[in-house]
Amino acid sequence: ATSGIGAETARVLAKKGVRVVVGARDMKKAMKVREKIQEESPNAEVILLEIDLSSLASVKRFCSEFLALDLPLNIL
């Protein structure tokens, strides 16, 4: 969700008050996306988690971190 349709989807969902968890390989880009979202929607809750889909270890770490947040998964 650091560019294109992913970033736009995150922006629109956050604007509607949805808590958004952004999985990103490039955390610098993810932070810029979160900043832009929060400029438009200051109360937006955007959580950034690092993930590299080419690495099974990274995917497992992301899953563990997400589960530790104890949040519902409504849209994937």
Side-chain angles (χ1 to χ4, degrees):
T2 57
S3 65
I5 194 166
E8 181 64 10
T9 300
R11 184 190 71 79
V12 170
L13 289 172
K15 188 174 182 177
K16 293 183 181 288
V18 175
R19 179 188 305 122
V20 178
V21 177
V22 173
R25 183 179 61 228
D26 186 333
M27 294 303 286
K28 286 183 182 180
K29 284 184 181 180
M31 285 186 264
K32 287 180 183 179
V33 168
R34 178 172 59 189
E35 288 171 10
K36 288 176 97 173
I37 290 171
Q38 290 179 327
E39 285 174 10
E40 185 177 333
S41 305
N43 295 324
E45 187 175 354
V46 181
I47 300 167
L48 306 179
L49 295 178
E50 188 172 11
I51 185 170
D52 180 351
L53 295 175
S54 69
S55 165
L56 186 55
S58 177
V59 172
K60 288 180 178 181
R61 185 176 54 251
F62 172 89
C63 291
S64 293
E65 290 173 3
F66 179 81
L67 290 172
L69 294 173
D70 198 32
L71 298 173
L73 177 60
N74 297 315
I75 300 172
L76 179 61

